[in-house]
Amino acid sequence: EWGIERLVRAQQVVELRPYDIESWSVMLREAQARPIHEVRSLYESLVSVFPTTARYWKLYIEMEMRCRYYERVEKLFQRCLVKILNIDLWKLYLAYVKDTKSGLSTHKEKMAQAYDFALEKIGMDMHSFSIWQDYIYFLRGVEAVGNYAENQKITAVRRVYQKAVITPIVGIEQLWKDYISFEQNINPIISEKMSLERSKDYMNARRVAKELEYHTKGLNRNLPAVPPTLTKEELKQVELWKRFITYEKSNPLRTEDTALVTRRVMFATEQCLLVLTHHPAVWHQASQFLDTSARVLTEKGVRSYLLRRSSGPVVKQIDWSLAFASSHPRRDVQAARIFADECANILERSINGVLNRNALLYFAYADFEEGRLKYEKVHTMYNKLLQLPDIDPTLVYVQYMKFARRAEGIKSARGIFKKAREDVRSRYHIFVAAALMEYYCSKDKEIAFRIFELGLKRFGGSPEYVMCYIDYLSHLNEDNNTRVLFERVLSSGGLSPQKSVEVWNRFLEFESNIGDLSSIVKVERRRSAIFENLKEYEGKETAQLVDRYKFLDLYPCTATELKSIGYLENAGTLLNKGGGGILSHHHHYHFADADADNEALAPLPRPDFSQMIPFKPRPCAHPGAHPLAGGVFPQPPALAALCATLPPPNSFRGPFVSVELLFDIFMRLNLPDSAPLPNGDNELSPKIFDLAKSVHWIVDTSTYTGVQHSTHTLHSRRRRLLPAGDDSDEEMQAAPPTNDIYRLRQLKRFAKSN
């Protein structure tokens, strides 16, 4: 008991929804401040719900290490370390070995073994630079006594360096520099040779490391593994993982070593499964890739053997027992067997983990083992799935019968069918599957007929099963038996009126195809009598008549007419696209003649998305910058270029112009139709500036807006002003400004010229 309401509430939420991350986080924050013996059960529950989340294992182990419970720490590492290829967890393991084994006499051997083990498992991780570097520093720091020991030390350091510089990791450039410096300190002559031999592989690895940084950008490797939620963030992570794995499958190292490519792909897949372990597609794709790689390697080994034998003396018959005697073909086939076993291991892990109730993975695993002729293992898998409580075993029995028929014959399949009949959880599908199996595989329609009759006693009230039985008889073209079956089912009372709708529709269709008019009318009347008792079909007599004359997607009325008679109402009569007839509102259909009659509903108007502008929110947008609060429109390109050339607004400090008043002046301004003729020599007459005198500035104390006045009012207010000297009214013209500096300057210039 936590004793705090918030923590108690989080614990209650976790009990109802085990994958609620927020509630777990609340409890973990409290657990960090408590002794480990009080919260150990919490951590055990946490890692049982999230068995592949390295972050939670790391927190659990750190709590145990803090209290120096090293025996528990080692047991925790044994439970999670090999299964979880997370770089942070492996760094914690190396730090633990370094701290706890330092006092032992075999400390150096233990550390070397730990580093070798870590690099074997996690050395392909692009973030494993620190592990490679620490291992090299550790080896270089080991004291060597004697020339032999010194040579062994140099060989060990060189071996690690040469592996590191051809592995695509972040920071490979630093390792290459250190390696060149290391070789130069030993022997400058050999150093140049070593660098030339390794430079090509190093450049290739460095290129791949850069590409890996791009393809893994955005990947969150520490996300807790939860069932699919289909959120936007989850879908993005799924796509990023797919891109990463696809990149590894493309063989970016451009190597001919198929085993190396497969190892890198599976390493990426294992890291993906830490986050997406609840996604069955990842498990299946991993097994498919391993299976394909095994087949490729097998074919490669056989092809290599045949090529070598063809180059030697001709033999009459190939001894296949010696087919893989040569070293290289044998190595390929051995790798193929390893990959095939790993494929089986992947599928075994998938059905033993969080997806232990996923039938798809069971079926894929069973088919894989069936291909390897391991039938006993397939039986074990199917029985294991059938023993799970609270599942629907119907599909499992169907697939189990198909496997037994393929592998062991029809008698074995009949034994599975008997077992399925005795299981009360089974549904009608097992009878249909067994009957069709007898009909298609044994070619015995009598056995199939008896199976259908046996199922009819148990599922006579299921319209779906009755329709399957009717379909079977229709394929046999037995009209009398089909008609008898219709009468038996519809008159037995096993089907309620609501459930019998589909069967009646099929009966009408059957009589319309093979019966005479009297039988058609008789069935139609009986069907109408049943439909009268159903509220949703009340008053739909004309709509029911449509089912007599329709054929496939051809109808005797147009779409609009069918609507008018109630054939499209949700509670009325709707057509089943697959079997025809009047059904509930869960079915839909299409009209082929709707376009021909031009009576289909017009499509809804849609906005022109090309004219839409992006909404760009700003935290401090000035009013009027955007029609919606908090956003601004982007400027047109021409305006943006102009604003870029203008000085910044803070460089102008006045005077400020009122745009409204300026435009009001423009609206009041009346200009003459033509400019006055200049006087004087060289057109320098001062009267050229008398144009300003001819302009009349209307002074109006009332508020003027061009929109509020009509055209007539505006025209009445304007006075046609002409240049001075014409027949204009001089008295009505306003005098020039008294302090017109520009005019005075021009008058002085004119006086000097005279």
Side-chain angles (χ1 to χ4, degrees), residues 8-69:
V8 173
R9 186 165 58 250
Q11 188 174 9
Q12 294 174 351
V13 171
V14 165
E15 292 175 357
L16 296 175
R17 299 191 300 271
Y19 297 101
D20 191 285
I21 305 298
E22 293 185 4
S23 299
W24 281 112
S25 300
V26 171
M27 297 169 63
L28 277 177
R29 283 194 294 269
E30 178 65 22
Q32 293 292 312
R34 292 175 179 262
I36 182 61
H37 64 273
E38 295 183 5
V39 294
R40 186 173 287 122
S41 60
L42 170 66
Y43 280 108
E44 286 293 335
S45 302
L46 180 65
V47 296
S48 63
V49 175
F50 303 99
T52 60
T53 304
R55 180 161 58 95
Y56 295 151
W57 283 101
K58 186 170 179 287
L59 290 174
Y60 188 10
I61 293 173
E62 287 175 344
M63 286 288 291
E64 297 285 2
M65 290 176 61
R66 201 175 301 141
C67 298
R68 299 183 180 276
Y69 294 133

Side-chain angles (χ1 to χ4, degrees), residues 222-267:
N222 293 318
L223 278 178
V226 298
T229 57
L230 302 181
T231 60
K232 185 177 180 180
E233 294 76 12
E234 182 187 70
L235 295 177
K236 182 179 179 181
Q237 288 295 316
V238 171
E239 289 300 322
L240 289 174
W241 280 112
K242 286 183 179 179
R243 186 177 71 174
F244 177 32
I245 297 174
T246 303
Y247 172 74
E248 289 290 357
K249 289 181 179 179
S250 66
N251 189 12
L253 287 174
R254 300 167 187 170
T255 178
E256 296 181 358
D257 189 356
T258 307
L260 176 60
V261 176
T262 306
R263 285 184 59 211
R264 291 194 61 85
V265 173
M266 290 310 302
F267 181 80

Side-chain angles (χ1 to χ4, degrees), residues 30 53 75 101 105 119 124 179 228 309 319 334 346 396 413 432 457 501 528 612 625 636 651 674 704 742:
E30 178 65 22
T53 304
K75 290 182 179 180
K101 309 299 181 183
S105 59
L119 290 177
M124 288 186 181
Y179 173 57
R309 291 298 299 265
D319 187 2
Q334 287 177 351
I346 284 285
V396 183
V432 178
K457 296 178 181 179
V501 171
S528 299
M612 297 180 69
S651 63
S674 60
Y704 173 81
Y742 183 75

Side-chain angles (χ1 to χ4, degrees), residues 595-657:
D595 295 335
D597 296 338
N598 293 325
E599 295 185 4
L601 293 176
L604 295 176
R606 295 181 176 273
D608 185 4
F609 296 105
S610 62
Q611 301 297 326
M612 297 180 69
I613 57 174
F615 176 72
K616 297 182 178 180
R618 280 189 180 179
C620 299
H622 58 277
H626 195 277
L628 299 177
V632 295
F633 283 104
Q635 295 177 344
L639 181 58
L642 175 61
C643 293
T645 58
L646 291 176
N650 55 11
S651 63
F652 180 75
R653 299 185 178 180
F656 296 97
V657 179

Side-chain angles (χ1 to χ4, degrees), residues 59 69 101 128 155 181 192 345 368 418 450 750 752:
L59 290 174
Y69 294 133
K101 309 299 181 183
S128 61
T155 302
S181 176
E192 184 177 357
N345 183 33
F368 175 74
K418 180 181 178 181
R450 290 201 297 267
F750 178 73
K752 290 180 180 179

